Amino acid sequence: MKFGFPFISLHPGAWVEVTQAADEAGFESCWIADHLVFPVEMEGSLGDVEHPNVPPTVPVYDAPAYLSYLAGLTTRINLGVYVYLVGLRHPFTTARGFATLDHVSNGRALVGVGAGWLRNEWTAAGMDPKTRGRRLDEALDVCVRLWTQPVVEHHGEFYDFEPVAFEPKPVQQPHPPVLVGGLSDAALRRAARFQGWMGMSDTFESVRRAVDRLAELGAPDIEITAQGRCESLDDLRRWEDAGVHRLVVTPWESTRGAVDAVWRFAEQFIA
């Protein structure tokens, strides 16, 4: 089992210290959340999971930029987004940000992506939230081509451009892993086309259902990332039995005790 941790439950002032401790303790990955903007009044959720509203004043950082900063302060830990709202950006911006992260980290970028859930984040950006799935699919296609092809020309529903070059290519070949988040059938179908699937606030049963559906879609060996609690070896075995390859955990109760909790978790679960 590979273990990661999310920044979402930590005060930003502790992100560097906790990441460096996790890097030394043997955690495989760290995960930053993503939003482009928070409307002051949020209009509810989109998609297959109801997300709780968060205060619009919560600090939000540019994900590839902040992870690139952390790359210079760590040596082994992989650096991912859980999840990046690709459809809200032009694919040139997304491809450039993650190619840069992959270079400065020497191949440690993980590209978690999702369609998004906050309706008026999309309208604030001048986009129809009903198009978010199609935008995500088209933008991902463009990003993969930019990362892997010497010259790219594209004429699609949302993006249209003449031949362009894109250098440097990412360090990881053929490109950084793309891990798709979501429980809807559309999200699972999208995940089956890429390198991995990501759940959120998972249970053993919800992961098993997703794994079974991915197998039906022809992706039985896809990498499975779940987010949940692991407090005993029995919990670990149950996650493994459910098909999980990477578990994103929050082993602390508060930021104050996070570093000590990282080391305690590592002593118990990380060889």
Side-chain angles (χ1 to χ4, degrees):
M1 179 72 71
K2 297 182 287 189
F3 291 102
F5 75 89
F7 292 118
I8 194 168
S9 61
L10 288 170
H11 187 282
W15 287 6
V16 169
E17 183 183 14
V18 174
T19 302
Q20 289 176 320
D23 186 35
E24 187 177 350
F27 275 70
E28 179 266 345
S29 53
C30 59
W31 298 89
I32 194 170
D34 174 62
H35 278 280
L36 187 60
V37 69
F38 276 135
V40 172
E41 295 186 7
M42 301 184 189
E43 291 182 355
S45 298
L46 292 160
D48 52 325
V49 177
E50 284 294 317
H51 292 256
N53 286 342
V54 296
T57 53
V58 168
V60 178
Y61 299 90
D62 181 85
Y66 199 98
L67 294 176
S68 293
Y69 165 62
L70 292 177
L73 301 174
T74 55
T75 58
R76 296 175 296 181
I77 197 166
N78 291 316
L79 306 145
V81 187
Y82 207 128
V83 291
Y84 197 68
L85 303 180
V86 175
L88 282 173
R89 282 92 167 181
H90 195 285
F92 290 169
T93 300
T94 299
R96 185 67 68 196
F98 284 101
T100 299
L101 171 60
D102 209 46
H103 266 269
V104 300
S105 67
N106 193 29
R108 291 187 280 143
L110 296 172
V111 189
V113 302
W117 59 272
L118 183 57
R119 180 177 294 105
N120 56 340
E121 181 177 16
W122 283 80
T123 56
M127 299 180 189
D128 182 354
K130 294 179 181 178
T131 68
R132 71 194 193 285
R134 301 200 310 277
R135 283 183 180 273
L136 172 56
D137 288 333
E138 187 174 336
L140 284 175
D141 174 65
V142 173
C143 286
V144 169
R145 293 171 63 205
L146 292 169
W147 289 330
T148 59
Q149 299 176 10
V151 175
V152 177
E153 179 177 358
H154 183 81
H155 305 286
E157 181 182 2
F158 302 106
Y159 311 105
D160 189 290
F161 54 89
E162 298 301 320
V164 299
F166 184 92
E167 297 292 342
K169 303 300 184 193
V171 172
Q172 296 180 82
Q173 296 297 316
H175 56 77
V178 175
L179 317 176
V180 179
L183 284 169
S184 69
D185 203 61
L188 293 168
R189 287 180 179 277
R190 187 175 294 119
R193 301 198 302 269
F194 289 97
Q195 288 73 42
W197 172 81
M198 308 182 76
M200 183 172 290
S201 300
D202 299 295
T203 65
F204 308 117
E205 292 75 19
S206 67
V207 171
R208 288 192 191 97
R209 287 193 296 269
V211 169
D212 289 344
R213 180 58 179 144
L214 287 163
E216 292 174 0
L217 293 168
D221 299 321
I222 193 171
E223 183 176 68
I224 302 298
T225 299
Q227 187 181 78
R229 300 187 70 84
C230 186
E231 298 176 341
S232 67
L233 292 177
D234 182 61
D235 286 344
L236 177 58
R237 284 190 291 270
R238 294 183 71 187
W239 287 119
E240 291 173 338
D241 290 344
V244 174
H245 303 102
R246 176 190 294 111
L247 186 63
V248 178
V249 298
T250 304
W252 50 80
E253 297 297 329
S254 67
T255 294
R256 185 185 298 274
V259 170
D260 288 341
V262 161
W263 283 106
R264 287 195 302 270
F265 186 93
E267 289 171 1
Q268 185 175 2
F269 295 108
I270 302 176

